[in-house]
Amino acid sequence: LILAQRWTPWLVQFYVSWKKCERAGLTKPLWVSYDTDFLGDKQVLATRIADHIGRNRADPDKIAAALQDTSEAKAKRINQGVAGRGRDLPAEVREHILITAGYYADDEDLTPLIGG
């Protein structure tokens, strides 16, 4: 619970601030979803990244190869994310996250962060 209490407000505010900047035309972020993009087709994600930063600066095939390379995962301590892992949160933690996110409901759709 202490991690949720500490990080939920910061993470939600961070997300909302980027969405507000995007709406104001101050930035054009490339939104990436773990479930859709990292668990999905790496070539599709690599193409999106290359298109976003410019094909003259990035090769989608090289990006895809880097995304698929797990040869040094242990040495790099890569987090082994698991889709749906949030369903296992204790009810008290889940409730805290939803209440905190609710404070921002009028500012932004938080479905990408907390589900629907």
Side-chain angles (χ1 to χ4, degrees):
L1 179 61
I2 194 167
L3 291 175
Q5 290 170 333
R6 176 176 172 97
W7 289 106
T8 301
W10 188 91
L11 292 168
V12 173
Q13 289 172 7
F14 183 82
Y15 176 77
V16 169
S17 69
W18 275 93
K19 293 300 279 187
K20 285 181 176 182
C21 287
E22 180 182 33
R23 274 196 308 280
L26 300 173
T27 188
K28 187 178 178 191
L30 173 64
W31 296 105
V32 178
S33 161
Y34 178 78
D35 290 343
T36 302
D37 297 309
F38 284 99
L39 295 181
D41 186 331
K42 301 292 191 292
Q43 188 65 49
V44 171
L45 175 57
T47 300
R48 287 183 57 223
I49 293 169
D51 288 345
H52 186 76
I53 61 177
R55 292 286 183 108
N56 59 326
R57 297 169 58 186
D59 178 346
D61 293 329
K62 289 181 181 178
I63 295 170
L67 291 170
Q68 294 168 355
D69 180 10
T70 59
S71 63
E72 296 180 36
K74 272 200 184 295
K76 294 176 184 173
R77 298 187 62 169
I78 294 175
N79 179 23
Q80 297 299 312
V82 177
R85 188 167 54 183
R87 283 183 232 120
D88 296 333
L89 288 174
E92 181 181 17
V93 173
R94 179 184 300 280
E95 181 180 350
H96 174 77
I97 292 169
L98 293 174
I99 288 170
T100 302
Y103 297 139
Y104 300 89
D106 291 339
D107 294 324
E108 190 60 49
D109 173 15
L110 298 177
T111 304
L113 291 180
I114 61 172

